[in-house]
Structure formats: structure tokens, C-alpha cells
Amino acid sequence: MDHRELKLSKYSIGTGDRFAHQAKAQLQACIMALDSGVEVIPVWNKSNREHTIIGSQPMTVRQAADAAVKALGWNLPYFCDADHITLHTVSPFLDACDFYTIDVADSIGRPASTNDIEDFVARHPELTGRIQFEVASEAFEITPQSLRRTARKYLAAVKKAGEVYRTIENAKGKGNFIPEVSMDETDSAQTPVELLIILAAIADEGIPVQTIAPKFSGRFNKGVDYVGDVEQFEREFALDVAAIAYAVAHFGLPDNLKLSVHSGSDKYSIYPAIHTTMQHFGSGVHLKTAGTTWLEELIGLAEAGGEGLALAKDIYSEAFAHREELCVPYATVIDIETSRLPWPGKVRGWTSEQYTEALRHVAGAATFNSSFRQLLHVGFKVAAHMGQRYTDLIEANQDVIARNVTENLYDRHIAPVFLGLNQAQHNHVFAKEAARR
């Protein structure tokens, strides 16, 4: 393979496409951002778990992305992400992907060996004492004891990331893929100081990491808004950006290293904080939106009426019947109030408007039902089991679905995060673009 030295741009967005039908609609949102003067690079992501549930292969993501890029004449970079892969699941992704989210959350807390810990501490005397982040006003004190404690908690996980990275590098060649390290699916948030120490360990492992996904404070539930203290998140996010700048300067990590926000879709309350921080520090971000597109397919089907609406109702009925089974794998990233889930019999009588208003996540909408949305978010397995019945109907109703997919990705995600536009402003931009098309 040619040595291409792939480099991720300042702004990028991870777009999940469960059934590989919405790549063009997703790319259209990035084209709209480009027309507005901001380059947002698309990264199509799909995890091993999602492929297993759908019955798809990683190459289907690549094929859909390539076809969309060709059809719309996209001349900028784009990537396909092996999302949340481990040493045991990476192999099927090696041909199709050029972006790898290396997930080591399961190794966090597994104690590293005493020798490894002491070697790390000896290698990094600069990490003890007073640490002043150059681009931030705050300073931190790291004692030898706290350095050892952090190394004990995270060093084994970083070494596991190194194993996965070298497996990919051996297959694809150095510089031919974008590495990300993910530590977000764990119990407790990492502090900015812990992030700094983790980055030192990543540098020691020789991983040229371009994005890192820590766990932030607060709840990042699937498909709904952030739950937590927004001011605290903004402070932590800014200090994480400062920690990255420090690590790049002191540990030789890539100069485009940036934060990755996982389960980033629909986190409307923190988007202004992310945008403001990026503007203040001149930093970038990778926003991973994942499964929100699948929900826009459901919204489009319901909006189309007829068979589409009937199918959307059937999917909810099945998801409701199997809600415990569907929710278990996502228990740490959903908060569903069972009492707020409407009975399937009631949903059977809903109009298109009632279904879409309950499911579509518009900030402040009184008819929106977050529990209904979260159940359907994890309910894509139901649609997968329907097979051709589902895919035939999304193909038959592609125009209305595509409009919803593009509007959701641009209007509610790209515009506030990367352009800093408020609701009225980006609604106006989307309406103008829709009229032009």
C-alpha cells in the first residue's frame, strides 16, 4: 500500500448509516457546510456489533460512501471508520476502513504491572510537580502518588491500544489510516490531568493518535440531549483541549490531534460550548452522530404515510415487545422511563404527524418523547429482522427520507457545532439550500 500519510482535517463528523442507504443524504449536509464556508469532513462509521445485528459487512460502508462521493462530486477527503474495534474484531475491517476507533474501555482499571508503572513514572519526571497548560489559565499539581495511581488505572488500556494499533499498521502500513483511541464507554469521566497522562502513555506506545474520545462528565445518552451541568462540561472541554495542546508540544503527538465526542448526536445544550471553545483555542473536533440517521429513516417513513407509516408503527410495536432485550447492550447510554412509552395499540391510531412529532428531536418541542426516541434508537435490530420489507420501503420513500436525513445532520448538528448558527439562522440556510436543489 502507498504511504499516504492520511491526516484528518480540523472539523469532521462521524455519520452512522445502519442500512447503507443514506450516504448521499449525509454527504449533502457536508456540501451545505462547505457552501457556507466551513469544511466538515465526513467519516462513515459502523461498529462490529452493528454489522452483526444488521448482517452486513464493513465493505458495504465503503461502497456506499464511495458511491455517494462519486455521485455528488465530493473532492475533499472522506473516511470509513471501524467503530469501537478491539483486537478480536479488527480483522474484518482491514480492507474496507481507513479510520479506526480503537476501544480500550474494557481494559480501564485493569492494573498494569508494577514494572510498567515504575518505568512510566521514571520516563516522565516532567509529569510531577506543577503543570501549567500554555493555552489555559489554570495550573495543576501532580504528585508521584497521583501519577502512579493514574498509570495503574489506564496504562494497561493504553498498552492494549498499542497492540491493536500495531495490528492495523502491520496490515495497512504506517500513515495509511487515522487512529483514534476511545475511552468513553466506562464508568467515570477522565479529568484533564488524567487525559494528559493518558496521552503521554499513548505517545510512549508510538500511536500517532489523531483523535481521542475521553469520557466527559454528564450523561451522553443515545439520540437525546446532554444531561448534566453545561458550565462544568464547558470548563472540562476547554481544559481537555488545553491538555491536548500541551501533549502535542511535549510528547511529539500529531499536531492535528483533537477531541472526539462520542454519542454526540442531539446534544444541543452543549453545542454552543463546543463551538465557543473551538473558536477560542483554534481547535477542532470530531463529532460522532452514529445512529441518529436510522431514526430519520423512521421519521421519513412515518411522514410518507401509507405503508411507510404502517411499517414505522410495526417497528415500534416490536421494539416495545422486546424492549428489555434491545436495551441491555445499551444500558449505560440510555435512560428510558417505561411509564412514558406509549402502548403500541395507541400508536396504531396515530397520524403521521403524531408519530413524527413524538420521534423527531426538536429542542423545546412539547410533543417530543425522549423515551420513545431512545427505544427506537436501539430498536434497529427490529428493522434488520424485517429484511427486504424495510429496505424496499426506504428505497420507495427515499426522497422524503433523504430530506429528513440532510436536514437533521446539517440543521441540528453541523450548523450549531461547526458554524455557530442559531436555530433561526440555520433553518434559513437549509430552506435556501432546499429551494436551490
Side-chain angles (χ1 to χ4, degrees), residues 316-328:
Y316 176 71
S317 181
E318 284 296 304
F320 184 90
H322 299 279
R323 57 192 181 277
E324 292 184 9
E325 168 196 336
L326 293 170
C327 290
V328 165

PDB file of all heavy atoms in Angstrom, residues 316-328:
ATOM      1  N   TYR A 316     -42.186   0.020  16.045  1.00  0.00           N
ATOM      2  CA  TYR A 316     -42.331   0.407  17.447  1.00  0.00           C
ATOM      3  C   TYR A 316     -42.991  -0.701  18.256  1.00  0.00           C
ATOM      4  O   TYR A 316     -42.566  -1.001  19.384  1.00  0.00           O
ATOM      5  CB  TYR A 316     -43.149   1.693  17.592  1.00  0.00           C
ATOM      6  CG  TYR A 316     -43.370   2.013  19.063  1.00  0.00           C
ATOM      7  CD1 TYR A 316     -42.317   2.441  19.855  1.00  0.00           C
ATOM      8  CD2 TYR A 316     -44.617   1.802  19.669  1.00  0.00           C
ATOM      9  CE1 TYR A 316     -42.489   2.681  21.218  1.00  0.00           C
ATOM     10  CE2 TYR A 316     -44.797   2.047  21.021  1.00  0.00           C
ATOM     11  CZ  TYR A 316     -43.729   2.483  21.790  1.00  0.00           C
ATOM     12  OH  TYR A 316     -43.894   2.703  23.142  1.00  0.00           O
ATOM     13  N   SER A 317     -44.011  -1.336  17.704  1.00  0.00           N
ATOM     14  CA  SER A 317     -44.717  -2.398  18.424  1.00  0.00           C
ATOM     15  C   SER A 317     -43.769  -3.533  18.785  1.00  0.00           C
ATOM     16  O   SER A 317     -43.770  -4.029  19.922  1.00  0.00           O
ATOM     17  CB  SER A 317     -45.864  -2.925  17.557  1.00  0.00           C
ATOM     18  OG  SER A 317     -46.567  -3.944  18.240  1.00  0.00           O
ATOM     19  N   GLU A 318     -42.927  -3.937  17.834  1.00  0.00           N
ATOM     20  CA  GLU A 318     -41.958  -4.997  18.095  1.00  0.00           C
ATOM     21  C   GLU A 318     -40.883  -4.551  19.091  1.00  0.00           C
ATOM     22  O   GLU A 318     -40.463  -5.323  19.958  1.00  0.00           O
ATOM     23  CB  GLU A 318     -41.303  -5.446  16.788  1.00  0.00           C
ATOM     24  CG  GLU A 318     -42.178  -6.333  15.929  1.00  0.00           C
ATOM     25  CD  GLU A 318     -42.488  -7.654  16.612  1.00  0.00           C
ATOM     26  OE1 GLU A 318     -41.544  -8.374  16.985  1.00  0.00           O
ATOM     27  OE2 GLU A 318     -43.684  -7.949  16.811  1.00  0.00           O
ATOM     28  N   ALA A 319     -40.440  -3.312  18.951  1.00  0.00           N
ATOM     29  CA  ALA A 319     -39.433  -2.795  19.883  1.00  0.00           C
ATOM     30  C   ALA A 319     -39.984  -2.749  21.301  1.00  0.00           C
ATOM     31  O   ALA A 319     -39.285  -3.088  22.264  1.00  0.00           O
ATOM     32  CB  ALA A 319     -38.974  -1.400  19.444  1.00  0.00           C
ATOM     33  N   PHE A 320     -41.233  -2.346  21.429  1.00  0.00           N
ATOM     34  CA  PHE A 320     -41.875  -2.302  22.746  1.00  0.00           C
ATOM     35  C   PHE A 320     -41.960  -3.710  23.335  1.00  0.00           C
ATOM     36  O   PHE A 320     -41.672  -3.921  24.526  1.00  0.00           O
ATOM     37  CB  PHE A 320     -43.264  -1.688  22.628  1.00  0.00           C
ATOM     38  CG  PHE A 320     -43.971  -1.503  23.942  1.00  0.00           C
ATOM     39  CD1 PHE A 320     -43.819  -0.331  24.661  1.00  0.00           C
ATOM     40  CD2 PHE A 320     -44.778  -2.508  24.469  1.00  0.00           C
ATOM     41  CE1 PHE A 320     -44.465  -0.159  25.890  1.00  0.00           C
ATOM     42  CE2 PHE A 320     -45.414  -2.346  25.686  1.00  0.00           C
ATOM     43  CZ  PHE A 320     -45.262  -1.163  26.397  1.00  0.00           C
ATOM     44  N   ALA A 321     -42.334  -4.683  22.507  1.00  0.00           N
ATOM     45  CA  ALA A 321     -42.478  -6.062  22.989  1.00  0.00           C
ATOM     46  C   ALA A 321     -41.136  -6.658  23.427  1.00  0.00           C
ATOM     47  O   ALA A 321     -41.092  -7.498  24.327  1.00  0.00           O
ATOM     48  CB  ALA A 321     -43.110  -6.924  21.894  1.00  0.00           C
ATOM     49  N   HIS A 322     -40.050  -6.215  22.807  1.00  0.00           N
ATOM     50  CA  HIS A 322     -38.720  -6.773  23.094  1.00  0.00           C
ATOM     51  C   HIS A 322     -37.801  -5.725  23.723  1.00  0.00           C
ATOM     52  O   HIS A 322     -36.581  -5.799  23.573  1.00  0.00           O
ATOM     53  CB  HIS A 322     -38.098  -7.309  21.808  1.00  0.00           C
ATOM     54  CG  HIS A 322     -38.890  -8.413  21.163  1.00  0.00           C
ATOM     55  ND1 HIS A 322     -38.826  -9.717  21.588  1.00  0.00           N
ATOM     56  CD2 HIS A 322     -39.786  -8.388  20.142  1.00  0.00           C
ATOM     57  CE1 HIS A 322     -39.631 -10.473  20.849  1.00  0.00           C
ATOM     58  NE2 HIS A 322     -40.228  -9.686  19.963  1.00  0.00           N
ATOM     59  N   ARG A 323     -38.400  -4.781  24.437  1.00  0.00           N
ATOM     60  CA  ARG A 323     -37.625  -3.642  24.931  1.00  0.00           C
ATOM     61  C   ARG A 323     -36.501  -4.042  25.874  1.00  0.00           C
ATOM     62  O   ARG A 323     -35.421  -3.459  25.824  1.00  0.00           O
ATOM     63  CB  ARG A 323     -38.542  -2.600  25.592  1.00  0.00           C
ATOM     64  CG  ARG A 323     -39.404  -3.101  26.736  1.00  0.00           C
ATOM     65  CD  ARG A 323     -40.464  -2.060  27.099  1.00  0.00           C
ATOM     66  NE  ARG A 323     -41.317  -2.476  28.212  1.00  0.00           N
ATOM     67  CZ  ARG A 323     -42.374  -3.266  28.072  1.00  0.00           C
ATOM     68  NH1 ARG A 323     -42.696  -3.765  26.880  1.00  0.00           N
ATOM     69  NH2 ARG A 323     -43.111  -3.579  29.127  1.00  0.00           N
ATOM     70  N   GLU A 324     -36.714  -5.019  26.732  1.00  0.00           N
ATOM     71  CA  GLU A 324     -35.657  -5.407  27.661  1.00  0.00           C
ATOM     72  C   GLU A 324     -34.462  -5.982  26.911  1.00  0.00           C
ATOM     73  O   GLU A 324     -33.310  -5.612  27.170  1.00  0.00           O
ATOM     74  CB  GLU A 324     -36.198  -6.419  28.675  1.00  0.00           C
ATOM     75  CG  GLU A 324     -37.213  -5.826  29.647  1.00  0.00           C
ATOM     76  CD  GLU A 324     -37.657  -6.816  30.699  1.00  0.00           C
ATOM     77  OE1 GLU A 324     -37.047  -7.910  30.766  1.00  0.00           O
ATOM     78  OE2 GLU A 324     -38.597  -6.515  31.447  1.00  0.00           O
ATOM     79  N   GLU A 325     -34.704  -6.855  25.968  1.00  0.00           N
ATOM     80  CA  GLU A 325     -33.637  -7.466  25.172  1.00  0.00           C
ATOM     81  C   GLU A 325     -32.878  -6.400  24.370  1.00  0.00           C
ATOM     82  O   GLU A 325     -31.645  -6.432  24.282  1.00  0.00           O
ATOM     83  CB  GLU A 325     -34.263  -8.490  24.216  1.00  0.00           C
ATOM     84  CG  GLU A 325     -33.338  -8.990  23.133  1.00  0.00           C
ATOM     85  CD  GLU A 325     -34.115  -9.687  22.022  1.00  0.00           C
ATOM     86  OE1 GLU A 325     -35.239 -10.178  22.270  1.00  0.00           O
ATOM     87  OE2 GLU A 325     -33.586  -9.712  20.888  1.00  0.00           O
ATOM     88  N   LEU A 326     -33.600  -5.444  23.797  1.00  0.00           N
ATOM     89  CA  LEU A 326     -32.967  -4.419  22.971  1.00  0.00           C
ATOM     90  C   LEU A 326     -32.137  -3.446  23.804  1.00  0.00           C
ATOM     91  O   LEU A 326     -31.107  -2.935  23.343  1.00  0.00           O
ATOM     92  CB  LEU A 326     -34.030  -3.636  22.193  1.00  0.00           C
ATOM     93  CG  LEU A 326     -34.792  -4.412  21.120  1.00  0.00           C
ATOM     94  CD1 LEU A 326     -35.959  -3.580  20.605  1.00  0.00           C
ATOM     95  CD2 LEU A 326     -33.865  -4.789  19.962  1.00  0.00           C
ATOM     96  N   CYS A 327     -32.578  -3.186  25.025  1.00  0.00           N
ATOM     97  CA  CYS A 327     -31.942  -2.155  25.841  1.00  0.00           C
ATOM     98  C   CYS A 327     -30.698  -2.634  26.578  1.00  0.00           C
ATOM     99  O   CYS A 327     -29.821  -1.815  26.897  1.00  0.00           O
ATOM    100  CB  CYS A 327     -32.946  -1.589  26.849  1.00  0.00           C
ATOM    101  SG  CYS A 327     -34.257  -0.590  26.089  1.00  0.00           S
ATOM    102  N   VAL A 328     -30.600  -3.919  26.857  1.00  0.00           N
ATOM    103  CA  VAL A 328     -29.488  -4.424  27.674  1.00  0.00           C
ATOM    104  C   VAL A 328     -28.115  -4.022  27.129  1.00  0.00           C
ATOM    105  O   VAL A 328     -27.269  -3.526  27.890  1.00  0.00           O
ATOM    106  CB  VAL A 328     -29.593  -5.957  27.848  1.00  0.00           C
ATOM    107  CG1 VAL A 328     -28.284  -6.545  28.353  1.00  0.00           C
ATOM    108  CG2 VAL A 328     -30.713  -6.301  28.825  1.00  0.00           C
TER     109      VAL A 328
END
